[in-house]
Amino acid sequence: MRLRLHGWVPAKRSEVSGTAKELLSSAEALFREDSDDAGDLERLSAARLLASKGNAGATCSDVIFTVLETLSGPELTAELWSVGDALSRFVDWEADDSGEESGDNSDKDLGAQAEQGMLEGRTPATSSGPSVRAARRAARSAAQSGGQGMEEMPNSCTRRCAAALAAWELLLMGIAQGVQSEGTSSRHGGSSGEATPTAYSTESGDKGQAPPEPGELIAAVLQLTPDQIAGGKNFAFKAGVAPQMEQWTGPVQPLLRLLCHVLTSGRLAARDDGTSRGETASEVLVARALAEDSDSPDFCHAYGLSALAARTFLLALRVAPAAVRSFWEQLPRRRDRDLVEKLVARSFSPVLFLAEAAAASTQLEAHADRLTDIEASVTRRAPQLVLQLAREELRAELCVLLPPAFPLRLATAEPPEKMPGIPKPRIRNWMLQARQVLAGQKPMVVGRVMLMWARSFAVAFDGVEDCPICYNVVHLTTQTIPRKACPTCKHKFHNECLYHWFKTSAKTTCPLCTQPF
């Protein structure tokens, strides 16, 4: 419990100083779309010169290792990097099972292999039929009778897997808390322009935004790809500092592989005390782990591998959605992709749906002072999250559709049927911006989109007053706002109202100041 309460990720940028602060700025430069800083350009030229001489520079693993070791400490980073060893041990334990059991246990092996979807690379003879159903019944009976005849996982394997998963849970939990606190603080400058999605800003305040806090920046670093460090952007990081990982570009890939193995393992799931109709044993274990109350005194004892894996995978889906999506898309077998998608859709997406709704509401409440004269709220209409906007008598709704396997499948912005007072080209621009954010790497994307929409809606009506003729902001027929201004008194009118006034009064003077229009 003491480890869970320890601050493994700095909550605020002000808590970081010295070398760590310089490192944050260097990591920030990796995600900067453009750089016009003279120092950056000079270092970039030097890095390209080194690359031309055969120095490949730092890899993704080097960048991730350096950032984690500096900000979270060498002890935790060493445990995070041990996830590759944990994966090897767990896969070896699963593979041993296929060669040791035979005869009467062959059906049980077949059922376990079919349930876990061959993530370990074994191919069952069939995936359905009486033999599989009988195998599952036999596995449940064995679990209810105490699990006799089932080989326990070696203690060395259990300890290594539990230590690696616990370390990742601590890190991802710290990132999630940091990102959540960022969402409740007002970091955007008071720009009068329309809200737009931007890249990570620089210390000088690019595009009117403050630089990202450590939690958001570490989340981006964990999802780093080789393309993002191409062209000499990794000049500030030393090469070869990270322990070697044979087939991985970073520690997140073996972590996700281990999580999928644990969460779909037939041998672990068979020890469950029974399942209900329509649920697999793995789904029951996952649901039980996600239902644990973190404030309960017994929570610290819920460190079985299945419980640890379920909580860690949920945090990974929240903190690093792009990395999980990329891992899932690159699984070589379609059967594996279908298995992971089914697991996410049944066990994790409902929890993430509620989490995204809560995060969006929290962000809107935190920025309420910047939404002048606008009432914004989030409503759940599964599978949609609906942003409801109101300004006096004006009402509008914007929706984000979350697919069943979110975030493996991208959330989509639903164009509104009508948006009173907003021109259609501007609405299309909002939708394009929303799609850009929803497909990005940042956590809590739905809340970011809804906050962007609310700010854009507020900017669109900023300074707009009722038409002095019809006393409405939005014209009831054309759904437009007052745009025609009197050259003398500067009051604005609806074009249609002004034309009707000229026609009925037989005058071309302003209705208020009576000066010629």
Side-chain angles (χ1 to χ4, degrees):
M1 185 60 71
R2 290 196 302 271
L3 291 176
R4 292 172 63 86
L5 296 177
H6 180 73
W8 296 102
V9 175
K12 297 293 182 182
R13 202 180 183 92
S14 58
E15 299 177 7
V16 181
S17 60
T19 304
K21 186 175 181 179
E22 295 178 1
L23 184 67
L24 280 180
S25 299
S26 300
E28 225 177 288
L30 296 174
F31 306 99
R32 199 176 300 156
E33 292 181 352
D34 301 305
S35 179
D36 54 2
D37 181 76
D40 281 356
L41 293 176
E42 181 180 350
R43 289 190 292 268
L44 186 59
S45 300
R48 288 173 176 168
L49 179 61
L50 291 175
S52 65
K53 295 181 178 180
N55 187 347
T59 63
C60 291
S61 291
D62 293 328
V63 175
I64 297 172
F65 185 86
T66 303
V67 171
L68 293 180
E69 187 179 43
T70 304
L71 296 179
S72 299
E75 296 83 3
L76 181 66
T77 305
E79 289 294 342
L80 297 174
W81 234 257
S82 69
V83 69
D85 180 43
L87 172 61
S88 299
R89 291 172 184 252
F90 191 89
V91 171
D92 290 344
W93 173 70
E94 283 189 312
D96 288 344
D97 181 42
S98 61
E100 291 178 357
E101 298 185 10
S102 59
D104 295 336
N105 292 331
S106 59
D107 279 347
K108 184 174 71 174
D109 285 340
L110 182 62
Q113 291 174 26
E115 182 171 304
Q116 66 193 25
M118 304 183 297
L119 271 176
E120 61 279 40
R122 296 174 303 190
T123 306
T126 180
S127 60
S128 61
S131 61
V132 174
R133 291 193 292 270
R136 289 177 177 170
R137 286 196 297 269
R140 293 169 189 168
S141 299
Q144 292 173 352
S145 63
Q148 291 88 351
M150 298 175 63
E151 181 189 359
E152 294 292 335
M153 182 184 296
N155 288 335
S156 59
C157 179
T158 303
R159 287 196 298 268
R160 172 48 58 206
C161 292
L165 292 181
W168 276 100
E169 184 189 19
L170 291 174
L171 176 71
L172 296 176
M173 189 182 303
I175 295 175
Q177 292 172 351
V179 171
Q180 186 174 359
S181 66
E182 287 180 53
T184 60
S185 62
S186 181
R187 297 173 49 232
H188 297 276
S191 172
S192 59
E194 185 168 305
T196 57
T198 61
Y200 291 100
S201 58
T202 64
E203 290 286 355
S204 59
D206 271 352
K207 302 179 184 180
Q209 290 193 338
E213 298 291 354
E216 182 178 334
L217 198 53
I218 294 177
V221 169
L222 288 177
Q223 303 176 85
L224 195 64
T225 63
D227 292 340
Q228 290 174 304
I229 61 174
K233 282 190 174 183
N234 53 350
F235 55 79
F237 298 90
K238 293 182 179 179
V241 296
Q244 291 295 323
M245 305 189 80
E246 296 181 359
Q247 53 180 327
W248 315 105
T249 59
V252 176
Q253 292 95 338
L255 167 68
L256 296 174
R257 173 71 65 171
L258 176 60
L259 292 173
C260 289
H261 273 281
V262 173
L263 293 174
T264 59
S265 172
R267 297 186 73 184
L268 288 180
R271 293 181 175 83
D272 186 59
D273 57 357
T275 59
S276 59
R277 179 175 297 180
E279 292 180 308
T280 66
S282 297
E283 290 169 0
V284 171
L285 289 176
V286 170
R288 182 177 302 166
L290 297 180
E292 288 282 350
D293 183 7
S294 59
D295 296 327
S296 170
D298 297 328
F299 181 78
C300 58
H301 300 295
Y303 274 84
L305 286 187
S306 296
L308 267 173
R311 297 196 302 269
T312 305
F313 193 46
L314 178 63
L315 288 168
L317 289 168
R318 292 192 63 186
V319 168
V324 180
R325 190 182 309 119
S326 175
F327 165 81
W328 170 70
E329 292 172 346
Q330 294 174 12
L331 286 174
R333 299 186 181 185
R334 180 170 182 176
R335 183 170 190 151
D336 293 347
R337 294 195 296 272
D338 292 343
L339 178 66
V340 174
E341 183 176 8
K342 178 181 176 182
L343 176 68
V344 171
R346 287 192 176 184
S347 302
F348 293 93
S349 286
V351 181
L352 291 170
F353 182 84
L354 298 177
E356 288 284 351
S361 297
T362 301
Q363 290 191 50
L364 290 174
E365 292 174 2
H367 293 78
D369 58 329
R370 296 182 180 272
L371 305 177
T372 308
D373 299 328
I374 300 296
E375 295 180 7
S377 61
V378 178
T379 303
R380 300 195 303 266
R381 297 178 189 166
Q384 291 180 331
L385 288 179
V386 182
L387 173 64
Q388 296 180 326
L389 300 168
R391 185 187 187 276
E392 298 178 357
E393 77 284 353
L394 181 63
R395 299 290 184 273
E397 289 187 351
L398 292 162
C399 304
V400 175
L401 175 65
L402 275 68
F406 174 80
L408 300 183
R409 304 285 185 182
L410 288 175
T412 55
E414 296 289 309
E417 295 182 0
K418 61 179 181 178
M419 180 68 74
I422 307 294
K424 289 185 178 180
R426 179 173 290 189
I427 295 176
R428 285 196 295 268
N429 188 34
W430 291 2
M431 295 300 108
L432 290 174
Q433 293 171 357
R435 294 188 186 103
Q436 178 184 347
V437 175
L438 292 173
Q441 293 184 333
K442 293 186 178 182
M444 299 192 305
V445 289
V446 176
R448 296 176 189 274
V449 165
M450 291 191 168
L451 178 59
M452 181 184 69
W453 280 343
R455 293 180 66 234
S456 297
F457 187 81
V459 169
F461 290 96
D462 185 27
V464 177
E465 299 179 353
D466 295 348
C467 172
I469 297 177
C470 69
Y471 298 104
N472 289 318
V473 173
V474 178
H475 193 272
L476 298 179
T477 303
T478 62
Q479 301 293 298
T480 57
I481 62 176
R483 298 185 184 278
K484 192 66 174 179
C486 171
T488 303
C489 67
K490 307 304 181 184
H491 284 94
K492 292 184 178 181
F493 305 85
H494 294 123
N495 289 345
E496 296 74 16
C497 294
L498 198 59
Y499 176 77
H500 182 72
W501 168 262
F502 291 161
K503 184 177 180 180
T504 56
S505 66
K507 299 178 181 179
T508 57
T509 58
C510 174
L512 297 182
C513 67
T514 68
Q515 295 298 316
F517 221 94

